[in-house]
Amino acid sequence: MHFFSLNTGDQIPALGLGTWKSAPGLVGAAVTEAITAGYRHIDCAPIYQNEPEVGKALAECLNAGAVSRQDLWITSKLWNNAHAPEQVEPALRQTLSDLQLDYLDLFLIHWPVVFTPGVLFAQQPEEYIPLAQQPIIDTWKALEACKDKGLVRNIGVCNFSIAKLRALCDQATMQPAVNQIELHPYLQQNEMLAFCREHNILLTAYSPLGSGDRPKALKKKEEPNLLDNPVVGKVAARHGITPAQTLLAWGVHRKTVVIPKSTNPKRIRENLAAADLHLDHQDMTDLAALDLGFRFVDGSFFCGNGSPYSLQSLWDTEPGR
Ligand code: A2P
């Protein structure tokens, strides 16, 4: 397994198990299977609504001696309804309790979007709080305090644009270690990759396989399919590997962490093996040509219903882009 260094000096495994969309009743077995197969990195979040089951599986693996806590890398996230500084530590403690852990390796702000406390998913205008009213830097300071207390080893963000990262880096006492964003050959984000390299922030790629199991409501009518892409297929055939392995090896080659989700034992193992596969210059050139700037998870679910958030404000893009 490859590791990447964070700006804190910690080493994060290059490939982890994603748990978004992993159904209750399946996610625990997936975590156990993954750890047995050799995964040492699990990516979690309270909004996935499966942390108690993940925690039970982790506890069983740890108690059985299948792995030691210091060899595991566990990431979780702060949900949008707990950005108020006084709510950050209680939300983290709930996640720690659900995961049956006494610290996280990495704690991330899940979205630069704020809901009113207690709201799981905002549906009404009054259930949103604009960032101007609940600034990211105040939430970030509360994450820094959690790190000072030893509750988390590293802190970072998800879904941050370059503009938001820049603003955070300018104001923060502790620099973010990670930005977790959607990354795959249809959304290569090369500017972001260059910015993060320059600022010593590691990128984690979510939806590296295109997240085909998203609920219908989160899908657009006509979406390109990543796993069926002929160029991906051609690169896979050249190496005798699968399209999924090609996509994951592409991410690792770019020195980004990849967190494929699977609850299928065979695919869990297939994905892990991808971290040790090598793509060559021709492969990377062929795959580089696939960039469409296409987001499978575009955040539009935060932008309706009279929300103060828009796609432009979320991603800091020009109108119409
Ligand atoms: P499953 O859980 O049944 O294996 P992402 O990580 O981009 O969110 O993608 C997750 C989706 O990709 C799930 O539908 C998952 O299904 C599927 N998947 C995971 N690994 C593979 C693989 N090696 N080959 C094909 N599909 C996969």
Side-chain angles (χ1 to χ4, degrees), residues 45-293:
I47 193 59
Y48 305 159
Q49 297 183 282
N50 55 17
E51 285 194 330
E53 189 176 329
V54 171
K56 191 163 170 283
L58 290 176
E60 283 166 6
C61 288
L62 289 166
N63 291 338
V67 66
S68 61
R69 176 65 188 94
Q70 64 269 24
D71 290 337
L72 269 183
W73 183 281
I74 309 294
T75 298
S76 189
K77 314 187 185 91
L78 180 77
W79 186 233
N80 302 355
N81 59 11
H83 274 227
E86 68 279 8
Q87 287 178 332
V88 170
E89 187 179 324
L92 169 61
R93 287 193 183 274
Q94 182 62 53
T95 272
L96 288 171
S97 158
D98 287 344
L99 291 173
Q100 303 192 37
L101 299 174
D102 51 17
Y103 72 90
L104 290 179
D105 297 278
L106 180 60
F107 187 41
L108 306 172
I109 296 178
H110 205 150
W111 285 92
V113 171
V114 189
F115 299 161
T116 51
V119 170
L120 194 63
F121 223 94
Q123 306 288 345
Q124 312 287 339
E126 61 275 15
E127 292 178 330
Y128 288 97
I129 299 175
L131 288 182
Q133 236 169 283
Q134 179 55 77
I136 290 290
I137 186 60
D138 294 345
T139 308
W140 183 255
K141 283 183 178 153
L143 266 77
E144 290 179 339
C146 292
K147 182 165 183 270
D148 276 336
K149 284 191 181 175
L151 296 171
V152 298
R153 297 271 166 95
N154 296 277
I155 52 178
V157 295
C158 307
N159 298 301
F160 269 42
S161 64
I162 292 176
K164 287 190 181 73
L165 276 181
R166 208 187 283 282
L168 178 60
C169 290
D170 284 349
Q171 295 169 286
T173 304
M174 299 175 191
Q175 294 297 293
V178 165
N179 187 21
Q180 183 179 126
I181 58 173
E182 181 181 335
L183 281 175
H184 44 69
Y186 291 155
L187 185 68
Q188 304 194 12
Q189 308 218 43
N190 291 324
E191 233 182 291
M192 171 71 80
L193 194 63
F195 176 88
C196 286
R197 278 199 186 136
E198 193 186 323
H199 291 80
N200 210 3
I201 299 167
L202 191 75
L203 286 172
T204 296
Y206 75 69
S207 300
L209 306 177
S211 276
D213 57 344
R214 271 165 299 130
K216 245 190 171 164
L218 298 190
K219 287 191 173 178
K220 297 181 193 79
K221 273 206 188 98
E222 309 242 328
E223 288 192 343
N225 187 311
L226 256 182
L227 288 164
D228 288 347
N229 181 284
V231 175
V232 175
K234 192 179 73 180
V235 173
R238 269 204 300 255
H239 294 277
I241 61 178
T242 68
Q245 288 178 320
T246 305
L247 294 168
L248 299 173
W250 174 86
V252 174
H253 188 105
R254 297 197 333 151
K255 299 199 167 34
T256 62
V257 172
V258 290
I259 46 169
K261 170 266 171 185
S262 183
T263 49
N264 174 290
K266 185 175 154 282
R267 291 192 284 273
I268 285 173
R269 286 170 189 266
E270 174 186 324
N271 294 346
L272 179 65
D276 294 317
L277 296 174
H278 180 73
L279 298 186
D280 60 28
H281 185 71
Q282 187 60 53
D283 302 328
M284 294 307 285
T285 306
D286 291 351
L287 294 167
L290 297 184
D291 200 3
L292 298 171

Side-chain angles (χ1 to χ4, degrees), residues 9-70:
D10 276 3
Q11 301 276 308
I12 181 171
L15 186 142
L17 180 73
T19 60
W20 176 40
K21 307 175 264 72
S22 295
L26 294 181
V27 70
V31 167
T32 305
E33 179 68 26
I35 290 174
T36 307
Y39 282 70
R40 292 296 176 262
H41 174 176
I42 315 286
D43 185 83
C44 313
I47 193 59
Y48 305 159
Q49 297 183 282
N50 55 17
E51 285 194 330
E53 189 176 329
V54 171
K56 191 163 170 283
L58 290 176
E60 283 166 6
C61 288
L62 289 166
N63 291 338
V67 66
S68 61
R69 176 65 188 94
Q70 64 269 24

